């Protein structure tokens, strides 16, 4: 099996898994299909001789992020029907955006370079794609790299703010109020009036039933 056959195989698996992510009715199955899409994408990175990106994709996304997604999906009670409302109405728009992204990728890579085989260049034995990737990130692409870092930071802060926001339908403990609580706040003594039946010498129904049983 040559390189082109492997590429088309991994590409077909990636596209199939991506489609199943957005069409699966079960969120757990969608997460598992997303794991399959990441693994097949790692295979494509290996074909491009980018071993560092492939192992990073498997370790970071499949080994950490997707496991976290899987636990979250399994622990939360997700209303699947509510999430799927309006899916088919916006499906043509999603197809249009996917086609646009595909055209942009072909335009960036260059169809003539792919057909000429210029992308599959063999490097020397001492070539390190990790070193080359680091050099490109911190020299030619340092500003896009920093911009991506700022965007991820903003997304992280927004996620924390949405998680810690006060909701009226959520019950939570206030540790500060618990530490400030005193004995008067925790215990309340209530004076209960007696019925007066014991003072009048009347027997209770339980005692009366006991005498009758004897």
């Amino acid at each position: 099996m040559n390189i082109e056959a492997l590429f088309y195989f991994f590409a077909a698996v990636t596209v199939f898994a991506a489609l199943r992510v957005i069409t699966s009715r079960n969120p757990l199955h969608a997460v598992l299909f997303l794991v399959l899409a990441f693994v097949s994408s790692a295979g494509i990175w290996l074909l491009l001789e980018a071993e560092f990106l492939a192992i990073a994709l498997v370790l970071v996304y499949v080994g950490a992020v997707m496991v976290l997604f899987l636990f979250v999906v399994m622990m939360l009670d997700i209303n699947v029907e509510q999430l799927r409302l309006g899916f088919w109405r916006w499906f043509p728009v999603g197809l249009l955006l996917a086609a646009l992204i595909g055209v942009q990728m072909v335009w960036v890579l260059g169809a003539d370079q792919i057909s000429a085989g210029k992308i599959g260049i063999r490097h020397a034995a001492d070539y390190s794609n990790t070193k080359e990737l680091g050099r490109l990130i911190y020299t030619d692409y340092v500003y896009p790299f920093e911009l991506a870092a700022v965007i991820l930071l903003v997304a992280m802060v927004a996620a924390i703010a949405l998680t810690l926001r006060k909701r009226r339908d959520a019950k939570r403990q206030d540790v500060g109020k618990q530490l400030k609580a005193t004995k008067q706040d925790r215990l309340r003594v209530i004076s209960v009036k007696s019925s007066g039946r014991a003072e009048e010498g009347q027997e209770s129904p339980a005692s009366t039933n006991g005498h009758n049983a004897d």
Side-chain angles (χ1 to χ4, degrees):
M1 184 177 293
N2 53 11
I3 301 298
E4 292 187 12
L6 286 175
F7 172 77
Y8 285 116
F9 171 75
F10 285 120
V13 173
T14 304
V15 173
F16 169 75
L19 290 176
R20 290 298 296 160
V21 168
I22 62 175
T23 57
S24 298
R25 293 183 178 271
N26 193 338
L28 183 60
H29 295 168
V31 173
L32 294 177
F33 276 114
L34 189 56
V35 172
L36 178 60
F38 284 150
V39 172
S40 57
S41 300
I44 296 178
W45 282 116
L46 285 176
L47 294 178
L48 295 176
E49 297 182 359
E51 295 84 4
F52 175 77
L53 295 178
I55 195 63
L57 185 62
V58 173
L59 292 180
V60 176
Y61 285 93
V62 178
V65 177
M66 293 314 304
V67 173
L68 179 61
F69 285 178
L70 187 61
F71 276 105
V72 171
V73 170
M74 293 176 64
M75 292 176 63
L76 294 181
D77 187 12
I78 300 176
N79 189 357
V80 182
E81 298 298 332
Q82 186 69 23
L83 292 177
R84 295 182 63 84
L85 291 178
F87 172 77
W88 294 109
R89 182 178 61 183
W90 295 100
F91 186 72
V93 179
L95 287 180
L96 181 61
L97 292 177
L100 181 61
I101 293 174
V103 171
Q104 289 178 348
M105 291 177 63
V106 173
W107 177 69
V108 170
L109 294 176
D112 54 346
Q113 292 183 0
I114 297 177
S115 60
K118 296 181 180 180
I119 293 181
I121 299 176
R122 296 295 178 181
H123 300 283
D126 57 347
Y127 175 79
S128 175
N129 60 74
T130 305
K131 180 179 179 180
E132 187 66 21
L133 180 63
R135 185 188 65 81
L136 289 176
I137 286 178
Y138 292 105
T139 53
D140 298 340
Y141 300 97
V142 60
Y143 292 113
F145 178 73
E146 295 295 334
L147 181 61
V150 172
I151 293 175
L152 291 177
L153 179 61
V154 171
M156 182 175 63
V157 173
I160 296 174
L162 291 175
T163 303
L164 297 180
R165 64 178 180 176
K166 293 184 178 180
R167 297 174 52 186
R168 296 181 179 179
D169 57 343
K171 296 182 179 180
R172 64 184 66 190
Q173 295 179 346
D174 193 343
V175 181
K177 291 183 178 180
Q178 291 179 348
L179 294 177
K180 294 179 182 179
T182 59
K183 181 177 64 175
Q184 290 76 14
D185 298 330
R186 297 176 182 268
L187 180 62
R188 186 173 60 177
V189 179
I190 301 176
S191 178
V192 180
K193 295 183 179 180
S194 61
S195 60
R197 304 180 71 179
E199 297 177 357
E200 297 176 359
Q202 297 181 0
E203 296 181 351
S204 62
S207 61
T208 304
N209 293 335
H211 291 300
N212 294 335
D214 293 336

